[in-house]
Amino acid sequence: MVFDISVAMTWILFLALFPISFVWLRRAWRIVIQRDFSEVAIKRGEAPPNPEKFAPYEMAINLVAGVVIVSVILAVVAGLWEYSVWSAVAGSTIWCKFFASFALSRHAHAAWAKGKA
């Protein structure tokens, strides 16, 4: 194996999976166990007026994404998946989690919902 940019990027992606999964699973833990809603549907650093309403959705997004990333880590370490498979699964999970959290935060802070409260 020759060390070049693709090998470096592969290692960076793989090593980045560890803190990503830790943060996402910790957020799910805080929502479920500690009942901490401070990181639920954040938009511009502010939580929505009723974060407990959106907490189950945020918890599910973080829990599913964290478990998928942990399973990718275990599959890579066990040698079950090739690079193209695990990088596709990890990359798709990261992007889907970002899009889902973004959509949830925009829905929680929607202008039409503020008039109904």
Side-chain angles (χ1 to χ4, degrees):
M1 176 170 67
V2 177
F3 186 76
D4 58 355
I5 191 68
S6 65
V7 173
M9 293 302 293
T10 301
W11 274 100
I12 290 171
L13 173 61
F14 179 69
L15 294 176
L17 295 179
F18 289 91
I20 289 171
S21 64
F22 173 76
V23 168
W24 290 347
L25 291 174
R26 185 184 63 184
R27 283 184 180 175
W29 173 268
R30 284 182 177 175
I31 293 170
V32 172
I33 304 300
Q34 298 177 345
R35 310 296 293 166
D36 179 11
F37 304 129
S38 63
E39 294 182 356
V40 172
I42 299 295
K43 180 179 177 186
R44 295 185 185 141
E46 296 181 11
N50 52 355
E52 59 277 348
K53 176 181 176 183
F54 300 98
Y57 305 108
E58 186 74 25
M59 182 275 307
I61 292 169
N62 284 300
L63 184 64
V64 169
V67 168
V68 169
I69 295 296
V70 167
S71 65
V72 168
I73 291 170
L74 295 174
V76 169
V77 171
L80 300 176
W81 288 348
E82 295 179 1
Y83 170 74
S84 60
V85 175
W86 72 261
S87 64
V89 171
S92 298
T93 303
I94 291 168
W95 280 109
C96 287
K97 195 275 184 198
F98 287 155
F99 288 143
S101 289
F102 178 80
L104 182 67
S105 69
R106 294 315 180 252
H107 179 72
H109 291 274
W112 54 267
K114 292 181 181 176
K116 293 182 180 180

